[in-house]
Amino acid sequence: MKIAKGMNETIIFIVALLIMPVIMWAAQRFNQNWLREWSLGLVILIGMSVGYFLI
């Protein structure tokens, strides 16, 4: 099974990989529990947005 098929998919994966810790840090730093709960959905939306502009 391949994780990524090409350069665009790899870029989207790396962006999502880097955004998740940033969101989790912000949730912990500013004590926002809702942000921790919504972090996966936000990462998915950000990844989809990056993919839209790349493809």
Side-chain angles (χ1 to χ4, degrees):
M1 183 172 127
K2 294 183 181 179
I3 291 177
K5 295 181 180 181
M7 187 54 108
N8 290 337
E9 289 83 0
T10 303
I11 292 171
I12 294 167
F13 175 75
I14 291 171
V15 167
L17 185 71
L18 295 175
I19 291 295
M20 181 60 113
V22 171
I23 292 175
M24 296 304 286
W25 172 82
Q28 183 177 9
R29 172 76 168 93
F30 300 111
N31 198 21
Q32 299 294 320
N33 290 329
W34 68 269
L35 189 57
R36 188 175 298 121
E37 294 174 8
W38 282 80
S39 62
L40 180 60
L42 291 172
V43 169
I44 291 170
L45 287 175
I46 292 169
M48 288 172 51
S49 299
V50 169
Y52 176 77
F53 289 113
L54 284 179
I55 296 177

